[in-house]
């Protein structure tokens, strides 16, 4: 029975399913291959590591609350206006800040059926509803998203490319979605995996955001730059949005080593190129080979592939089998895809190990 005298969380909090991150350990395996969280298989680049190590001299001081050094570097790198940037403890925090700034109880966000879970968690924490547009083809559909929009909708979230499906929306699709939305509704385009895309009709939404009053584009240092552990992401927003968010942002939400390493990472083009090439070389190879073993693989624009098995039991058996080989992949039942496993593109050796294991699993 619930103890009615105990402190009660605000409504909705206990309805939130706790986020389960990618597993990082297998009992009895000293160094498992962790391909469960779409991290950068090459790790952080040398320049970022050196900057992180140098930052040790400044651990006793608070970071610059405006992250000016990083703000300037990001603005220059991407050709953006510095005053329109919002920095967060990962882009996850940018979503949480937007939700907290714009959602009142009873409002809603709209996202795709298999959309990234972080949008939902903080929306629910703000007593907002999450309206999911069906993704029958594992891809966010403009008309399906628009059909969910109502008078209580405050934010529409699209990951482009999307996690965990790996699908993407073309520049035309994003523009069509934006054009059909009332200007009072924020459109957040999450481009966490932007650097891995090769499809020619994909476009960054930075130019769309530049000219609109209601578009936010987010990026992260967790993927292409290999700094997931440092938690740095940013949003490019209209000035009014950036200023509103800044009122609730905790003053020192990005750290001294995080700022330094991220600035250095932006200047490490060689690492960016190597990271991108690794993914762009292996993604089609993994896709083709795994299909050859008789499993379905969804087309992916990210640094991962989503493998679809015959059913949930089959996916679980495959995950267990990979674990027995020291490989951790991501079951995605939490996304409503219990018959699928998401596999991050790894190093050459890791990818070969995945293929060997799946080939053996298929032949059993
Ligand atoms: C679609 C998508 N957006 C955002 C993020 C979060 O990135 P960050 O590490 O910047 O919080 C992820 C991380 O997996 C992601 O898959």
């Amino acid at each position: 029975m619930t103890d009615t005298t105990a402190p009660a969380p605000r409504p909705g909090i206990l309805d939130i399913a706790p986020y389960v991150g990618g597993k990082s350990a297998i009992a009895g395996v000293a160094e498992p291959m962790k391909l469960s969280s779409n991290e950068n298989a090459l790790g952080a680049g040398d320049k970022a590591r050196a900057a992180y190590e140098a930052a040790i001299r400044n651990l006793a001081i608070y970071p610059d609350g405006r992250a000016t050094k990083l703000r300037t570097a990001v603005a220059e790198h991407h050709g953006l206006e510095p005053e329109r940037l919002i920095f967060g403890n990962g882009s996850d925090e940018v979503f949480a800040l937007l939700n907290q700034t714009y959602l009142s109880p009873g409002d809603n966000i709209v996202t795709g059926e298999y959309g990234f879970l972080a949008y939902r968690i903080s929306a629910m924490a703000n007593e907002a509803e999450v309206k999911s547009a069906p993704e029958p083809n594992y891809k966010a559909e403009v008309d399906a998203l628009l059909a969910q929009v109502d008078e209580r909708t405050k934010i529409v979230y699209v990951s482009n490319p999307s996690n965990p499906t790996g699908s993407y929306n073309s520049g035309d699709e994003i523009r069509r979605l934006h054009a059909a939305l009332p200007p009072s509704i924020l459109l957040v385009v999450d481009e966490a995996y932007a650097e891995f895309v090769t499809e020619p009709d994909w476009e960054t939404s930075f130019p769309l955001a530049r000219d609109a009053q209601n578009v936010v584009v987010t990026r992260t240092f967790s993927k292409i730059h290999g700094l997931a552990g440092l938690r740095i992401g940013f949003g490019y927003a209209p000035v009014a949005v950036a200023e509103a968010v800044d009122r609730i942002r905790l003053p020192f939400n990005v750290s001294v080593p995080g700022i330094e390493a991220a600035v250095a990472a932006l200047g490490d083009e060689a690492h960016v190129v190597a990271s991108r090439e690794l993914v762009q070389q292996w993604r089609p190879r993994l896709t083709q080979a795994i299909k050859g073993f008789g499993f379905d693989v969804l087309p992916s624009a990210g640094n991962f592939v989503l493998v679809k098995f015959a059913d949930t039991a089959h996916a679980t058996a495959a995950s267990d089998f990979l674990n027995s080989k020291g490989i951790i992949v991501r079951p995605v039942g939490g996304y409503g895809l219990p018959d699928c496993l998401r596999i991050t593109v790894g190093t050459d050796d890791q990818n070969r190990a995945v293929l060997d294991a799946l080939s053996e699993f298929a032949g059993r």
Side-chain angles (χ1 to χ4, degrees), residues 96-269:
L97 288 168
L98 290 167
N99 283 341
Q100 203 184 340
T101 306
Y102 289 97
L103 298 176
S104 299
D107 287 341
N108 66 62
I109 66 162
V110 169
T111 188
E113 178 181 5
Y114 305 124
F116 187 48
L117 288 175
Y119 318 141
R120 296 159 188 259
I121 295 172
S122 64
M124 290 174 75
N126 288 290
E127 295 181 59
E129 279 175 51
V130 179
K131 298 188 77 183
S132 299
E135 297 187 21
N137 298 315
Y138 302 96
K139 174 187 158 172
E141 302 287 352
V142 173
D143 293 317
L145 288 165
L146 290 171
Q148 293 298 322
V149 171
D150 63 22
E151 66 287 348
R152 296 304 305 262
T153 303
K154 290 285 161 35
I155 310 182
V156 175
Y157 280 99
V158 179
S159 351
N160 195 25
S162 194
N163 167 30
T165 57
S167 59
Y168 74 98
N169 292 100
S170 68
D172 284 346
E173 286 173 324
I174 298 287
R175 280 187 290 272
R176 186 161 81 81
L177 173 61
H178 175 251
L181 284 175
S184 58
I185 296 181
L186 266 186
L187 171 63
V188 179
V189 187
D190 169 3
E191 297 186 346
Y193 299 97
E195 296 85 353
F196 302 111
V197 183
T198 46
E199 286 73 5
D201 59 345
W202 183 89
E203 291 170 42
T204 176
S205 289
F206 282 144
L208 180 69
R210 167 162 293 120
D211 298 328
Q213 69 177 38
N214 63 334
V215 177
V216 179
V217 177
T218 61
R219 293 282 182 104
T220 181
F221 283 82
S222 302
K223 309 296 175 185
I224 192 79
H225 295 299
L227 297 178
L230 283 179
R231 314 302 304 121
I232 304 263
F234 69 90
Y236 174 59
V239 171
V241 173
E243 285 182 356
V245 164
D246 232 22
R247 292 167 191 261
I248 58 160
R249 182 181 60 80
L250 295 179
F252 307 115
N253 63 329
V254 288
S255 70
V256 167
I259 291 171
E260 294 298 332
V263 169
L266 283 178
D268 195 348
E269 187 56 19

Side-chain angles (χ1 to χ4, degrees), residues 26 31-36 325-329 349-350 353-354:
I26 304 174
E31 284 189 34
M33 298 184 198
K34 182 173 185 288
L35 302 176
S36 55
K325 302 286 182 185
I327 302 166
I328 308 174
V329 298
D349 287 350
Q350 290 173 335
V354 165

Side-chain angles (χ1 to χ4, degrees), residues 310-321:
D311 52 31
T312 304
H314 198 214
T316 306
S319 178
D320 291 347
F321 188 76

Side-chain angles (χ1 to χ4, degrees), residues 266-297:
L266 283 178
D268 195 348
E269 187 56 19
H271 186 64
V272 168
V273 170
S275 304
R276 182 166 48 222
E277 282 181 355
L278 179 74
V279 169
Q280 291 179 351
Q281 278 165 15
W282 271 103
R283 188 173 54 198
R285 286 169 73 177
L286 287 169
T287 303
Q288 250 189 339
I290 297 172
K291 279 186 176 172
F293 305 148
F295 310 121
D296 205 5
V297 184

